[in-house]
Amino acid sequence: MPTAPSPSPRPERAVIGFFLYVTSIFTFAIYVLWAYLPNDWFEKIGITYYPHKYWSIAIAVLVLTLLIGVIVGNYLLNNLSIPPLDSISLIHDRHTRKPQDLISSETDAIPPVSDLDLSFVNQVLYSSHTK
Amino acid sequence: MKFHGGTCENIYGELLDYEIIQHENNLSTECRLERRTVHIQKWILSTIIFTYLAALIGIHKKDSSLLLFLSIILLAGVLIKAYLKVKRECVIVGNQIGLQLTTTYVIGRQTTTFISSNRIKDILINEGFVSQRLIYYLTLMINDSDKSMLPLFVKLLPRLSLLKIFYRHLYSAIHESK
């Protein structure tokens, strides 16, 4: 069985996380300075090539709209990927394990883990179990 | 002819009436689920609220062509809702004949689906997703290659307590001939 990708912490992930944390604080400080300081102060220091101040508002609006869009889009994407009520993937799909009847029941060994038949489960849960 | 009925709840909280009828010495079983179509409280409350809002906007002072247009839209909305809203769903199982699902709408229209008994494999209570909720619904397993499941009672969606009662009667009706 192939290993699924797991979200557990690893050293590379810690380094990347720390780098992103420092970079995001630094970028936010630069953005606030650029947005609030008047243009003459930049001229006096010597910085003459920087983006137009219009973009300070535009970037802020873009980030907020992206946030709302991601939340709404995630909800809608989830709604699109649920199977309809008559799809067979609600009964069995590519991950279900059918019981292998090749192994005979004479040995005392524990049979391998497999999924129970759904009609059997229904009979046990919801009606008088007749088997 | 044995008859067995009562009231149960929908997954949305509406009240549904159900009847289970065994005809002709248990040769056929009928399970009927009916919705009481007019909720008096919801209708009165929405009428009062919308009349108040319309009077607040001042719709009664506008000219009659706008009012005619709005009332045509309202009438079209009511007709579409009556065309699509389900009043009763009925499942009839005949011994070695098959299963028939009949859906009756508020307007009087009826749609029927019949599955003959050689195509029926099994009946189950399965869990599925409807509008971000996990619900139980009754479904019929069919032997076809293209369509293998037919969900029953999906427009009315009763709760699990009623589904268990229906499941016991329909399971014995489908499997007693096999």
Side-chain angles (χ1 to χ4, degrees):
Chain A
M1 193 176 69
T3 53
S6 88
S8 58
R10 270 183 289 179
E12 304 92 47
R13 290 183 173 172
V15 169
I16 293 174
F18 181 68
F19 169 72
L20 281 176
Y21 169 68
V22 171
T23 311
S24 62
I25 290 183
F26 180 68
T27 312
F28 183 64
I30 294 287
Y31 168 77
V32 165
L33 282 178
W34 162 65
Y36 278 100
L37 294 180
N39 286 358
D40 308 328
W41 294 25
F42 288 133
E43 306 265 320
K44 279 187 205 157
I45 297 179
I47 305 173
T48 54
Y49 191 69
Y50 54 87
H52 193 263
K53 285 300 177 71
Y54 156 80
W55 288 105
S56 63
I57 311 251
I59 290 174
V61 170
L62 190 72
V63 164
L64 279 176
T65 320
L66 209 66
L67 186 69
I68 296 177
V70 160
I71 292 175
V72 170
N74 191 26
Y75 172 81
L76 292 177
L77 206 66
N78 283 345
N79 271 6
L80 276 179
S81 54
I82 56 178
L85 285 185
D86 58 354
S87 88
I88 197 67
S89 63
L90 288 174
I91 307 267
H92 56 81
D93 58 356
R94 57 197 168 95
H95 296 293
T96 50
R97 293 199 206 181
K98 297 212 181 101
Q100 295 142 336
D101 333 81
L102 307 169
I103 301 171
S104 62
S105 48
E106 298 161 358
T107 62
D108 287 337
I110 302 172
V113 174
S114 62
D115 286 317
L116 289 175
D117 184 28
L118 192 56
S119 47
F120 171 69
V121 174
N122 268 347
Q123 278 168 267
V124 170
L125 284 177
Y126 303 125
S127 73
S128 54
H129 175 37
T130 53
K131 254 183 115 170
Chain B
M1 177 161 141
K2 273 188 292 188
F3 178 84
H4 168 52
T7 311
C8 73
E9 253 196 359
N10 199 353
I11 60 167
Y12 302 116
E14 302 164 359
L15 287 173
L16 302 169
D17 302 315
Y18 72 94
E19 288 154 5
I20 302 176
I21 308 167
Q22 311 253 19
H23 303 275
E24 321 202 37
N25 298 330
N26 289 0
L27 277 182
S28 89
T29 311
E30 174 176 348
C31 294
R32 202 184 284 179
L33 196 59
E34 185 162 339
R35 193 212 300 253
R36 300 178 196 171
T37 37
V38 178
H39 310 268
I40 301 287
Q41 291 163 335
K42 202 165 79 164
W43 182 76
I44 285 183
L45 193 66
S46 46
T47 308
I48 292 176
I49 287 178
F50 280 114
T51 315
Y52 176 69
L53 284 176
L56 209 63
I57 295 178
I59 261 181
H60 54 282
K61 294 186 220 149
K62 301 275 167 54
D63 59 337
S64 57
S65 59
L66 177 71
L67 283 173
L68 185 67
F69 180 63
L70 281 176
S71 49
I72 286 178
I73 288 183
L74 206 64
L75 191 66
V78 166
L79 282 178
I80 290 177
K81 193 77 175 31
Y83 185 73
L84 293 175
K85 187 164 181 162
V86 171
K87 182 172 167 59
R88 184 192 315 138
E89 279 189 292
C90 177
V91 167
I92 305 179
V93 180
N95 188 9
Q96 293 181 338
I97 300 176
L99 181 143
Q100 169 172 298
L101 170 71
T102 307
T103 316
T104 313
Y105 295 87
V106 168
I107 239 182
R109 170 171 83 110
Q110 277 188 337
T111 41
T112 315
T113 313
F114 176 72
I115 314 281
S116 59
S117 140
N118 57 339
R119 285 168 68 194
I120 295 181
K121 206 185 327 181
D122 204 359
I123 188 167
L124 317 159
I125 295 184
N126 195 12
E127 295 122 17
F129 299 97
V130 159
S131 67
Q132 311 249 319
R133 290 173 71 154
L134 186 67
I135 55 157
Y136 294 97
Y137 64 102
L138 205 56
T139 173
L140 192 70
M141 304 287 293
I142 301 178
N143 273 330
D144 271 353
S145 54
D146 55 343
K147 190 173 77 112
S148 38
M149 276 223 301
L150 176 77
L152 312 168
F153 303 115
V154 276
K155 303 281 174 56
L156 291 175
L157 290 174
R159 299 187 80 151
L160 186 61
S161 46
L162 179 68
L163 285 181
K164 286 192 207 174
I165 300 174
F166 276 0
Y167 173 77
R168 282 184 216 124
H169 283 94
L170 289 175
Y171 186 84
S172 47
I174 286 176
H175 285 269
E176 73 181 23
S177 53
K178 296 199 179 180

